[in-house]
Amino acid sequence: MIFSSITFLFYFLPIVLLIYQITPNRYRNAVLFLASLFFYAWGEPKYVFLMLFSTVVDFLLGICMGRYRQHAKAFMITSVIINLSLLFYFKYSTLLLTSCNHLFQGNLSIPEIALPIGISFYTFQTMSYSIDVYRGKVSPQKNFLDFATYVTLFPQLIAGPIVRYETVEKELSKRTPDIESGVKLFIIGLSEKVLLANNMGVIWEELRLQDFSTLAMATSWLGILAYAFQIYFDFCGYSNMAIGLGRMFGFHFPMNFNKPYTATSITDFWTRWHISLSSWFREYVYIPLGGNRHGLLKQLRNILIVWLLTGIWHGAAWNFLFWGLYFALLLIFEKIGLKRILAHLPPVLQHGYAMFAILIGWVFFVFASPTDITAYLTSLFRLTHLLDQNTYFILRNNMPLFLVSIAAASNISTKLPQYHRAIQTIGYMLLLLLSIAYIVDSSYNPFLYFRF
């Protein structure tokens, strides 16, 4: 069940909100916990027990860390090993076995292992809880229902943002729903997802089926730009819907995107894109490795490790590893001098450099095959074939979509005048009606980050 579906919008969410509102405060976590289990089981019934296993294990280990402080490190390491082992088995074992067969010409049996939805997100959440309990940053949660509600909370269960326990620790026991701001943010996210991301996705899906060796350079750039907008509005929209849903139930999740396509460097970009993941790796990998405290060489090593892990986190395929390595190298170049050079350039050139590097990065991200990556990169620099009929067709039929997407992804959208509340309400209602009309009429409504 995804947020931008008729089932969720017209059945699940209204029913859960109604039950939640009429339920006394002391029972509201039970309502959310049961609703979240139902939400997850709708798409992954057999893996509900896997999620509950992780929840029980980390809850008990947290209790043990609080009670037996002299053995706290052992309990924390046990939690990390169990969580990473589950993540590795379900997400990476097939890639490992396949790679071994190719490298050593083996014939190892490769089982069919379905990837549990959301495992990358809730695994990181429970690990962060265990590590923070060990560090003494948070107290062990002694109420299992409260902890289980934190882990399974359906607004952010499937695709984040990754919410650290300390962020919602107090709200698990006392919170006030904010329906109005939650609904507004949800509508913004829904419209980003179905009106912008889905329509950009249609452009990209049609173009990626073509023979890349015949693509004009301008067409290729329009194509990867369409994918860049699709994945941004897809994930940012879903994050905004999750944050909005959280507010409806009284939780304040952290912002996950901050206009990343306005970045003036790759360093700047990664402070704006998928902020909860970047901050997780900084807090639990980069800083424990030493961060920037032990000289430039070790800092560069730490950047490389973090970004290789970031690439692998996104999926069990070699292209994600190359994608992580690509950004690691760019960040290293900026750290050792490129950032200082960029600072002396006009802002438009800084932004141009960042967007050029980001779009190239999406080529590594979207294609699993090295052959496809090479062919598409080649088409982006095909100076002998600049334009074709595809170029004019895409621009003629989709120029308004590109212009609205550019405006929504830029700072222009934050500088719009503040209209009277009644006018704002009408605007939100129009966005909601347009989004629902699109969902009803269209069969194309994917969510890209489900597979991560």
Side-chain angles (χ1 to χ4, degrees), residues 7 38 40 68 97 120 149 167 170 179 227 235 253 274 290 295 305 312 332 342-343 354 391 397 412 420 442:
T7 303
F38 180 85
Y40 193 82
Y68 308 105
L97 292 173
S120 297
T149 300
T167 303
K170 294 180 180 178
I179 300 293
Y227 177 74
F235 195 19
F253 302 151
H274 204 343
I305 292 172
I312 293 171
I332 287 172
L342 290 170
T391 311
N397 290 281
I412 295 174
H420 188 273
S442 176

Side-chain angles (χ1 to χ4, degrees), residues 405-419:
S405 296
I406 291 170
S410 70
N411 289 322
I412 295 174
S413 59
T414 64
K415 297 177 180 178
L416 295 176
Q418 294 297 311
Y419 295 102

Side-chain angles (χ1 to χ4, degrees), residues 83-136:
N83 280 292
L84 289 181
S85 296
L86 290 173
L87 186 61
F88 181 86
Y89 173 76
F90 283 100
K91 196 165 185 176
Y92 305 108
S93 56
T94 299
L95 175 65
L96 178 64
L97 292 173
T98 303
S99 299
C100 286
N101 281 342
H102 287 162
L103 286 173
F104 304 108
Q105 297 183 340
N107 193 27
L108 296 173
S109 175
I110 301 175
E112 291 288 335
I113 302 174
L115 179 65
I117 293 174
I119 189 171
S120 297
F121 292 92
Y122 70 73
T123 297
F124 270 34
Q125 287 199 175
T126 55
M127 276 200 300
S128 70
Y129 166 77
S130 297
I131 295 170
D132 284 349
V133 170
Y134 165 71
R135 291 174 172 178

Side-chain angles (χ1 to χ4, degrees), residues 152-402:
T152 65
L153 198 57
F154 76 85
Q156 48 79 54
L157 172 63
I158 300 300
I162 300 171
V163 180
R164 288 161 59 181
Y165 178 77
E166 65 177 340
T167 303
V168 296
E169 181 180 11
K170 294 180 180 178
E171 292 176 338
L172 284 168
S173 56
K174 185 179 181 181
R175 57 187 179 271
T176 302
D178 186 352
I179 300 293
E180 182 178 351
S181 71
V183 168
K184 288 179 178 178
L185 193 52
F186 182 87
I187 291 173
I188 290 172
L190 181 66
S191 60
E192 288 174 329
K193 169 71 181 73
V194 300
L195 300 180
L196 299 181
N198 286 3
N199 282 296
M200 282 295 180
V202 171
I203 298 172
W204 171 245
E205 289 301 325
E206 290 178 355
L207 192 145
R208 72 179 297 176
L209 295 176
Q210 299 184 29
D211 182 357
F212 299 156
S213 65
T214 65
L215 286 182
M217 185 174 78
T219 303
S220 296
W221 281 105
L222 284 174
I224 201 60
L225 181 62
Y227 177 74
F229 281 130
Q230 181 194 11
I231 195 168
Y232 169 58
F233 288 117
D234 185 85
F235 195 19
C236 178
Y238 212 88
S239 292
N240 284 334
M241 285 189 279
I243 296 168
L245 287 169
R247 291 186 187 180
M248 294 181 206
F249 295 101
F251 293 95
H252 291 80
F253 302 151
M255 179 173 62
N256 212 21
F257 290 86
N258 182 22
K259 304 293 182 184
Y261 290 155
T262 65
T264 54
S265 67
I266 297 305
T267 302
D268 186 24
F269 175 75
W270 283 110
T271 64
R272 297 169 176 270
W273 180 281
H274 204 343
I275 298 169
S276 63
L277 180 67
S278 299
S279 62
W280 196 98
F281 274 111
R282 183 177 63 250
E283 180 70 23
Y284 300 107
V285 180
Y286 180 72
I287 292 176
L289 285 172
N292 58 1
R293 302 188 302 273
H294 303 293
L296 180 61
L297 286 179
K298 288 190 176 180
Q299 182 185 10
L300 300 183
R301 177 206 65 183
N302 297 339
I303 291 173
L304 181 62
I305 292 172
V306 164
W307 283 95
L308 288 177
L309 292 175
T310 301
I312 293 171
W313 180 89
H314 278 85
W318 289 108
N319 65 300
F320 293 119
L321 187 67
F322 298 145
W323 175 78
L325 177 62
Y326 168 80
F327 277 110
L329 293 175
L330 286 175
L331 290 166
I332 287 172
F333 289 146
E334 289 187 4
K335 185 66 64 177
I336 61 178
L338 180 57
K339 189 78 181 293
R340 290 190 292 275
I341 296 173
L342 290 170
H344 291 91
L345 297 178
V348 65
L349 293 182
Q350 295 181 42
H351 181 249
Y353 148 76
M355 283 306 302
F356 175 83
I358 291 163
L359 292 176
I360 295 296
W362 287 135
V363 177
F364 289 99
F365 191 87
V366 71
F367 293 114
S369 164
T371 302
D372 287 340
I373 292 172
T374 302
Y376 203 88
L377 287 175
T378 301
S379 73
L380 290 174
F381 301 97
R382 186 170 288 124
L383 297 176
T384 57
H385 189 190
L386 298 179
L387 300 167
D388 61 9
Q389 289 302 314
N390 264 344
T391 311
Y392 297 114
F393 178 82
I394 292 172
L395 289 174
R396 184 173 64 249
N397 290 281
N398 299 285
M399 182 59 74
L401 177 62
F402 276 101

